[in-house]
Coordinates of all heavy atoms in Angstrom, one line a residue:
F269 N 3.5 69.1 -37.3 CA 3.5 67.7 -37.0 C 2.3 67.0 -37.6 O 1.3 67.6 -37.8 CB 3.6 67.4 -35.5 CG 4.8 68.1 -34.8 CD1 4.6 69.2 -34.1 CD2 6.1 67.7 -35.0 CE1 5.6 69.9 -33.5 CE2 7.1 68.3 -34.4 CZ 6.9 69.4 -33.6
E270 N 2.5 65.7 -37.8 CA 1.4 64.9 -38.3 C 0.2 64.9 -37.3 O 0.4 65.0 -36.1 CB 1.8 63.5 -38.6 CG 2.9 63.4 -39.6 CD 3.4 61.9 -39.8 OE1 2.8 61.1 -39.1 OE2 4.4 61.7 -40.5
A271 N -1.0 64.7 -37.8 CA -2.1 64.7 -36.9 C -2.1 63.4 -36.1 O -2.6 63.4 -34.9 CB -3.4 64.7 -37.7
G272 N -1.6 62.3 -36.6 CA -1.5 61.1 -35.8 C -0.1 60.5 -35.8 O 0.7 60.9 -36.7
V273 N 0.2 59.7 -34.9 CA 1.5 59.1 -34.8 C 1.3 57.6 -34.9 O 0.5 57.0 -34.2 CB 2.1 59.4 -33.4 CG1 3.5 58.7 -33.3 CG2 2.4 60.9 -33.3
P274 N 2.1 57.0 -35.8 CA 1.9 55.5 -36.0 C 2.5 54.8 -34.8 O 3.3 55.3 -34.0 CB 2.8 55.2 -37.3 CG 3.7 56.4 -37.4 CD 3.0 57.6 -36.8
M275 N 2.0 53.5 -34.6 CA 2.4 52.7 -33.5 C 3.9 52.4 -33.5 O 4.5 52.2 -32.5 CB 1.6 51.4 -33.6 CG 2.0 50.4 -32.5 SD 1.6 50.9 -30.8 CE -0.2 50.6 -30.8
S276 N 4.5 52.4 -34.7 CA 6.0 52.2 -34.8 C 6.8 53.2 -34.0 O 7.8 52.8 -33.5 CB 6.4 52.2 -36.3 OG 6.1 53.4 -36.9
Q277 N 6.3 54.4 -34.0 CA 7.0 55.4 -33.2 C 6.8 55.2 -31.7 O 7.7 55.4 -30.9 CB 6.5 56.8 -33.6 CG 6.9 57.2 -35.0 CD 6.7 58.7 -35.3 OE1 7.0 59.6 -34.5 NE2 6.0 59.0 -36.4
L278 N 5.6 54.8 -31.3 CA 5.4 54.5 -29.9 C 6.2 53.3 -29.4 O 6.7 53.3 -28.3 CB 3.9 54.2 -29.6 CG 2.9 55.4 -29.8 CD1 1.5 54.9 -29.6 CD2 3.3 56.5 -28.8
A279 N 6.4 52.3 -30.3 CA 7.1 51.1 -30.0 C 8.6 51.4 -29.7 O 9.3 50.6 -29.0 CB 7.0 50.1 -31.1
A280 N 9.1 52.6 -30.1 CA 10.5 53.0 -29.9 C 10.6 53.7 -28.6 O 11.8 53.9 -28.2 CB 10.9 53.9 -31.0
R281 N 9.5 54.0 -27.9 CA 9.7 54.6 -26.5 C 10.4 53.7 -25.6 O 10.1 52.5 -25.5 CB 8.3 55.0 -26.0 CG 7.7 56.3 -26.5 CD 6.4 56.5 -25.9 NE 6.3 56.5 -24.4 CZ 5.6 57.3 -23.7 NH1 5.0 58.3 -24.2 NH2 5.6 57.2 -22.4
P282 N 11.4 54.3 -24.8 CA 12.1 53.4 -23.9 C 11.3 52.8 -22.8 O 11.5 51.7 -22.3 CB 13.2 54.3 -23.4 CG 12.7 55.7 -23.6 CD 11.9 55.6 -24.8
D283 N 10.3 53.6 -22.3 CA 9.5 53.0 -21.2 C 8.6 51.9 -21.7 O 8.4 50.9 -20.9 CB 8.6 54.1 -20.5 CG 7.7 54.8 -21.5 OD1 7.9 54.8 -22.7 OD2 6.6 55.3 -21.1
I284 N 8.2 51.9 -22.9 CA 7.4 50.8 -23.5 C 8.3 49.6 -23.7 O 8.0 48.5 -23.4 CB 6.7 51.2 -24.8 CG1 5.7 52.3 -24.5 CG2 6.2 50.0 -25.5 CD1 5.0 52.8 -25.8

Side-chain angles (χ1 to χ4, degrees):
F269 303 105
E270 300 176 4
V273 174
M275 177 66 77
S276 59
Q277 293 189 47
L278 292 178
R281 275 181 54 140
D283 60 334
I284 292 178

